[in-house]
Amino acid sequence: MAVRTMDSESARTPSKGGHSLLSAGVLSARLGPQRKHYVCGSIAAFTNIVVTFPIQKVLFRQQLHGVLATEAVRQLQRDGLRNLYRGLLPPLLQKSTTVAIMFGLYEDFSRVLSNRADGTGVPVLVTRSFAAALAGTAEAILTPFERVQTLLQDHRHHGRFNNTAHTFRTLLTEYGFRECYRGLVPILLRNGPSNMLFFGLRGPIKEQLPKATSWTDLNTSMNRMHVHEPDKTTGTISVVKVARVNPSNLAAHHVIIM
C-alpha cells in the first residue's frame, strides 16, 4: 500500500531555509513580537467559536429555562438548522477581539509592569496577576456584543430581532446606550479572576507539556530518512529511502508501507 506523506493540495510551501511559514520564529518576524499575540489570540478564538457555538447554545438554553441538556437539544432541533447558528456574529466578533486583547494586552502589561518593578523586589507572580486583571478589565469594553448575543439566542425574541445590526439599532434607539452595557459588573467580576487563574496556570502547565514538533523538525527527519526494499516474505514495515528531500518538493515524495 502506498501512503503519501503529503499531497499537492495539503502541502504548505515552506519559506527559504526550510522553515515553515507557521513557525514561531517566522511569525514573530512577520508580525513583530507584540502583534503576534494579538493575531494568534484572534485566530484561536475564531476557530473556537465556530466549532463550539451549538454547544454554547445548549448551555445558554439550560441557564435561561432551567432545563436538562436533552431538553435544550430538543429545543434546538425544533428551531431547525437555519436557527442553529443564529446569533453567531456577535460572539464571533466579540471573542475574536476580546481574546486578541486578552493575550496581547497581557503581554504588553506584563512587559511594562515587569520593567517598572525590576529591582523593587515585587514578585513576578504579582506583576503578571495584575497584568492579567488589567487585560480582563479591558475586554469588558465589548460587553454590548454579549448583550446582543443573548437576545439573538433567546427564542422568545426570534420574531423581534432580525440580525446583529437590527438588534444594535433597537437597543440604542429604544433603550439607550446604557442598555448595551447591562450585565457589565458580572462580566468585570468574571474577566479579572478568570484571567488571573488562566495566566497563572498557563506557564506551569506549559512547562510540563512536551514541546511541539514544527515542520522544520519534520523536514530534518525526512532528510535523514533511508529506504529499504519491502520485505514481502515477513510482511514487515519497510521505510522508503529518501535522499535529502528538498522541502519545496516534499509533496512529490511518497512513503511505501507494505
Side-chain angles (χ1 to χ4, degrees):
M1 163 174 77
V3 181
R4 292 176 183 266
T5 56
M6 246 185 266
D7 55 28
S8 57
E9 287 79 16
S10 63
R12 297 183 182 274
T13 305
S15 60
K16 294 181 180 179
H19 295 285
S20 167
L21 292 176
L22 299 179
S23 65
V26 174
L27 190 60
S28 296
R30 288 178 176 271
L31 300 175
Q34 284 78 36
R35 286 192 296 172
K36 179 187 73 171
H37 299 289
Y38 290 93
V39 174
C40 291
S42 181
I43 294 174
F46 183 93
T47 306
N48 174 44
I49 291 299
V50 170
V51 173
T52 65
F53 187 73
I55 301 175
Q56 292 180 2
K57 292 198 76 168
V58 172
L59 175 63
F60 174 78
R61 292 292 177 90
Q62 288 186 267
Q63 293 175 337
L64 182 65
H65 302 295
V67 298
L68 297 176
T70 53
E71 175 59 27
V73 171
R74 281 195 289 268
Q75 288 183 8
L76 294 180
Q77 289 176 338
R78 288 194 294 268
D79 290 343
L81 185 63
R82 181 179 180 180
N83 288 318
L84 181 61
Y85 275 87
R86 176 183 169 86
L88 174 66
L89 186 58
L92 200 61
L93 295 175
Q94 184 233 358
K95 281 298 182 182
S96 298
T97 306
T98 56
V99 176
I101 291 174
M102 181 182 76
F103 280 97
L105 287 184
Y106 169 74
E107 295 295 335
D108 292 340
F109 285 141
S110 294
R111 185 176 63 257
V112 172
L113 293 174
S114 296
N115 292 338
R116 290 187 175 273
D118 190 24
T120 62
V122 178
V124 176
L125 180 61
V126 174
T127 58
R128 291 192 176 275
S129 297
F130 192 48
L134 288 175
T137 302
E139 291 178 54
I141 195 174
L142 296 174
T143 297
F145 285 106
E146 288 200 44
R147 182 78 178 109
V148 171
Q149 174 192 353
T150 302
L151 293 172
L152 287 175
Q153 287 185 354
D154 190 347
H155 69 91
R156 294 174 298 183
H157 298 298
H158 282 184
R160 184 179 183 188
F161 301 113
N162 299 327
N163 49 45
T164 301
H166 179 252
T167 307
F168 269 120
R169 284 197 305 270
T170 303
L171 288 178
L172 291 173
T173 56
E174 296 185 12
Y175 300 98
F177 182 76
R178 292 185 61 182
E179 183 65 24
C180 294
Y181 279 90
R182 179 188 290 269
L184 176 62
V185 173
I187 289 174
L188 287 172
L189 294 176
R190 176 198 67 188
N191 287 3
S194 65
N195 275 17
M196 293 171 65
L197 184 63
F198 173 78
F199 286 108
L201 296 176
R202 178 173 169 241
I205 292 177
K206 187 176 180 181
E207 292 176 358
Q208 300 300 320
L209 296 175
K211 292 184 178 180
T213 301
S214 66
W215 282 108
T216 303
D217 298 331
L218 175 62
N219 292 337
T220 303
S221 299
M222 291 294 290
N223 286 340
R224 296 175 180 174
M225 195 177 289
H226 295 281
V227 178
H228 305 285
E229 288 298 325
D231 188 347
K232 297 181 180 179
T233 60
T234 61
T236 57
I237 296 177
S238 187
V239 185
V240 182
K241 184 173 184 179
V242 182
R244 304 295 299 174
V245 174
N246 183 353
S248 62
N249 296 325
L250 189 59
H253 295 269
H254 300 72
V255 173
I256 308 299
I257 301 177
M258 296 301 296

